[in-house]
Amino acid sequence: MATRSRIKTLKINGRDVSAHEDETILDVAMEHGVFIPTLCQIEGLTISGACRLCLVEVAGWRRLVPACATHVEEGMEINTDTERLRNYRRMIIELLFSEGNHVCAVCVSNGNCELQALAQRLGMDHVRFTNLQPVRLVDMTHDRFVLDRNRCILCLRCVRVCDEIEGAHTWDVKGRGSEARVVSDLATPWGDSATCTSCGKCVNVCPVGALVKKGRAIGEMVKRQDFLPYLSNMREVKK
Amino acid sequence: MMTYDELTDAAAEEIARQQGYHQCVRVCMAAGCLSQHHDAIKLALEQAVKDQGRAGEVQIKGVGCMGLCAAGPLVMVEPEGVLYERVSPEDASEIIAVLGSEPVQRLVCPTDVPFFERQVKIVLENSGVIDPESIEEYIAAGGYEGLNRALTELSPNEVIAELVRSGLRGRGGAGYPTGLKWSTVAKAISDTKYVVCNGDEGDPGAFMDRSVLESDPHRIIEGMAIAGYAVGANRGFIYVRAEYPLAIERLKLALRHAKRNALLGNNILGTGFDFNLEIRLGAGAYVCGEETALMASIEGKRGMPRPRPPYPADHGLWGAPTLVNNVETFASIAPILRRGGDWYASIGSETSKGTKVFALAGQIRNTGLIEVPMGITLTEIVHEIGGGTPNGRQVKAVQTGGPTGGCIPEAYFDTPVDYESLAKLGSIMGSGGMIVMDDSSSMVEVARYFMEFCMTESCGKCIPCRVGTAQMYRLLDKFSQGRATTADLDLLEQLCDLTLNASLCGLGQSAPNPVLSTLRYFRDEYLARLLPAEPALAPAPDSPAA
């Protein structure tokens, strides 16, 4: 079962580290306690590379690369925390806040929200952009869950978990650009969905208060994501 | 089973039949002229020939684009080489009546002008000359000779070597060396490989690919079959946007003819090489011109880009190594194989070889399609070939490379047109759209227009592009209305920097180009639209008006 994997040596923030060739920069950084902010990435689902928060600098490379989607290479010199990156990350969080309704004080996920935690950690204390105030509908048709698209950051974890883990592919995206919305089935109410199994995986992987359980008050919605590595590890072993 | 010799014989017969006519009247049947009811002109000409009893002498032939769309509908009379412009169905009987004698002076379009004389036609060599619906005419014009040479005389590696010698670079915009791309796919080890033609031309004002597909569809098929042989692929896809119905129709017909003549399918020309081609239609998303989004779309998924690497050459359609080139690139392949890589490399500039097709649009007299050698200057294109502005106004700038390109001011018009020089000026070669603007254009409005395009065409996957373009659009709107502050200018520049460096795909990475290039060359126009600086102390709201 044990397949051979070559070992690469590289530097992260000036520190010498070693890694398997099939590991990503993010894997190695996490292993060595180096913090790289992420939002769309979650262990157990395919890589999306969409949020761009995990961009890092590699010496001699022209472009910034997403740590989640870039494999290690011999002799890489990676910088994960420069003034430029900190600026970009803060601005990306600002853009997200400008795009929807992210008023923590009235949110069921207050205190348990990855976006909120990142904003605090990255020092985003105000938003310089005008709020775009898009028209986004709330779907409360499901018996147990709610989708509030105003809080959605389009990380597409729900789409991936439903397709890749649950195998239902209830969720997908409709529209382009600022008009992009997560929809169930063919943009029909979630409660009428013929494919949804009501497993709740989408709710648990959602990093914000967009997908939540009904009947929760402010700050009461706590997500549990430990099922995901467990399920994906089980599949790996079975293979 | 047809051999190549039998094909050329059949083509020669067709030519002999056509030479039985004294005259040939070529009518442009590409979309530009068709939009002016050119089909009615063809019918009227045919009727006139019948009425005047010259059915055996005069041939009326529908051909592809002749280039000078501004003067359309166009009609060409051979062998005299008389070009008629702005023809209407009422002119038909007069044109036919004077055949062989003095042409109809009021309709004659001079052809001894720079627009025609400065062009070098390789990709467009058959456009406006042959009937795009006839495979015999294509073969008679040297078509499929390149494929035959590749299959019977060259090994796949030799084909690639020929291409490397030619110096051809990708015509989709980025200018990646085509030979290098082909050799990368050829080296990939896999039972299945694919060849994909990117015909999802979506830049406003650009119609190079449409014109090639409409005027000479077999050229693409031949280029792709050669590519399939060179890289070891047996299956290909032509991805065309559904907004090009005529191109699709002609392509379908060409595919049928090619299959029937053993130029596609199994055992091509009896050489044992198999290559099958299918058409896939785009559903209107600009981002599907990005290769990873295009492949997702071909696979039947939502057309969204994914991070590269892995590049398509390694992990493309359904995970197999895939060669993706654009229409114009594939259109250049057959002539290179027919006439050799050295011949092609002798045209163009040091770093950019060959010719490039440009679509001239905007405030320019000779709107239309041109093919010029690389390295020609913008002055030559805009002032000589293009004929300057139609109203005599001063040319202000030219926007190259579509919505994600940049605006180049007139002061830099002596720059040679090649990939590096345009990039140095903050623009890109892009697919070949050129929009000329005169001094009445506001550059802030231009930037706002292109940003609106990028905003609505962003797929919505990555945040810098999805929200960044929307916020940049809001800021440009403030400038446009004269409500912007210096803080807004600063924010706009920061957003440009973020979107350029942090976006996932080429759309986001180049979306700020119009803003950056207009800020670079026309900053005063932005500054002129700033709100007057706030007075140090604003008067209290209830203070009496001065």
Side-chain angles (χ1 to χ4, degrees), chain A residues 39 53 90-120 124-127 129-134 136 138 147-155 178 180-181 206-212 218 223, chain B residues 463 466-467 471:
Chain A
L39 206 47
L53 282 168
R90 258 198 312 273
M91 217 188 310
I92 289 173
I93 300 285
E94 264 184 84
L95 288 175
L96 278 180
F97 270 81
S98 80
E99 192 195 28
N101 171 3
H102 300 288
V103 183
C104 303
V106 295
C107 180
V108 290
S109 288
N110 189 8
N112 301 299
C113 170
E114 292 181 39
L115 180 66
Q116 184 186 36
L118 274 177
Q120 287 166 349
M124 191 222 73
D125 45 18
H126 66 293
V127 178
F129 306 108
T130 39
N131 194 290
L132 299 176
Q133 298 183 321
R136 292 174 161 189
V138 179
L147 167 62
D148 183 349
R149 295 189 179 88
N150 297 291
R151 294 177 185 151
C152 175
I153 55 170
L154 287 161
C155 66
S178 331
R181 305 280 184 272
C206 176
V208 291
L211 280 163
V212 292
I218 293 165
K223 308 282 176 88
Chain B
I463 303 163
R466 180 181 77 229
V467 200
Q471 290 292 2

Side-chain angles (χ1 to χ4, degrees), chain A residues 115-178:
Chain A
L115 180 66
Q116 184 186 36
L118 274 177
Q120 287 166 349
R121 180 154 192 179
L122 299 175
M124 191 222 73
D125 45 18
H126 66 293
V127 178
R128 292 168 293 169
F129 306 108
T130 39
N131 194 290
L132 299 176
Q133 298 183 321
V135 180
R136 292 174 161 189
L137 301 179
V138 179
D139 189 337
M140 301 221 1
T141 55
H142 193 279
D143 290 343
R144 289 160 51 208
F145 310 124
V146 183
L147 167 62
D148 183 349
R149 295 189 179 88
N150 297 291
R151 294 177 185 151
C152 175
I153 55 170
L154 287 161
C155 66
L156 308 191
R157 284 186 189 179
C158 53
V159 175
R160 283 177 284 156
V161 79
C162 189
D163 176 44
E164 296 165 15
I165 305 293
E166 182 63 9
H169 202 134
T170 301
W171 296 115
D172 215 316
V173 189
K174 180 192 171 193
R176 281 201 294 270
S178 331

Side-chain angles (χ1 to χ4, degrees), chain A residues 52 63 88 98-99 130 175 177, chain B residues 302 458 466 471 497 500 502:
Chain A
R52 317 307 284 170
R63 298 210 71 93
Y88 284 168
S98 80
E99 192 195 28
T130 39
Chain B
R302 181 178 156 88
S458 163
R466 180 181 77 229
Q471 290 292 2
D497 179 49
L500 182 85

Side-chain angles (χ1 to χ4, degrees), chain A:
Chain A
M1 169 70 208
T3 47
R4 231 183 103 74
S5 161
R6 285 169 207 280
I7 303 298
K8 308 280 180 188
T9 54
L10 54 148
K11 275 194 165 94
I12 297 189
N13 299 342
R15 228 169 100 192
D16 286 307
V17 295
S18 60
H20 288 285
E21 61 180 350
D22 54 358
E23 282 184 297
T24 63
I25 295 176
L26 184 64
D27 294 333
V28 188
M30 289 208 303
E31 190 189 319
H32 291 87
V34 175
F35 169 73
I36 298 177
T38 53
L39 206 47
C40 64
Q41 184 272 350
I42 181 169
E43 199 191 334
L45 297 182
T46 52
I47 298 297
S48 161
C51 75
R52 317 307 284 170
L53 282 168
C54 71
L55 288 179
V56 294
E57 291 175 4
V58 180
W61 289 27
R62 201 168 54 89
R63 298 210 71 93
L64 304 174
V65 293
C68 68
T70 310
H71 286 272
V72 293
E73 284 177 22
E74 184 62 40
M76 265 181 167
E77 289 181 31
I78 300 158
N79 250 316
T80 66
D81 195 27
T82 63
E83 187 53 41
R84 179 184 179 210
L85 291 174
R86 281 195 291 271
N87 256 331
Y88 284 168
R89 287 168 184 163
R90 258 198 312 273
M91 217 188 310
I92 289 173
I93 300 285
E94 264 184 84
L95 288 175
L96 278 180
F97 270 81
S98 80
E99 192 195 28
N101 171 3
H102 300 288
V103 183
C104 303
V106 295
C107 180
V108 290
S109 288
N110 189 8
N112 301 299
C113 170
E114 292 181 39
L115 180 66
Q116 184 186 36
L118 274 177
Q120 287 166 349
R121 180 154 192 179
L122 299 175
M124 191 222 73
D125 45 18
H126 66 293
V127 178
R128 292 168 293 169
F129 306 108
T130 39
N131 194 290
L132 299 176
Q133 298 183 321
V135 180
R136 292 174 161 189
L137 301 179
V138 179
D139 189 337
M140 301 221 1
T141 55
H142 193 279
D143 290 343
R144 289 160 51 208
F145 310 124
V146 183
L147 167 62
D148 183 349
R149 295 189 179 88
N150 297 291
R151 294 177 185 151
C152 175
I153 55 170
L154 287 161
C155 66
L156 308 191
R157 284 186 189 179
C158 53
V159 175
R160 283 177 284 156
V161 79
C162 189
D163 176 44
E164 296 165 15
I165 305 293
E166 182 63 9
H169 202 134
T170 301
W171 296 115
D172 215 316
V173 189
K174 180 192 171 193
R176 281 201 294 270
S178 331
E179 304 289 318
R181 305 280 184 272
V182 167
V183 292
S184 47
D185 289 350
L186 295 169
T188 47
W190 191 3
D192 299 343
S193 171
T195 57
C196 176
T197 62
S198 301
C199 70
K201 290 187 180 70
C202 53
V203 173
N204 279 311
V205 295
C206 176
V208 291
L211 280 163
V212 292
K213 289 180 182 161
K214 279 185 175 170
R216 296 295 189 278
I218 293 165
E220 279 186 0
M221 184 65 219
V222 181
K223 308 282 176 88
R224 294 202 54 189
Q225 299 175 349
D226 42 357
F227 73 93
L228 201 50
Y230 172 72
L231 280 180
S232 48
N233 281 341
M234 241 178 29
R235 288 187 180 182
E236 290 289 313
V237 173
K238 249 180 109 182
K239 257 196 270 176

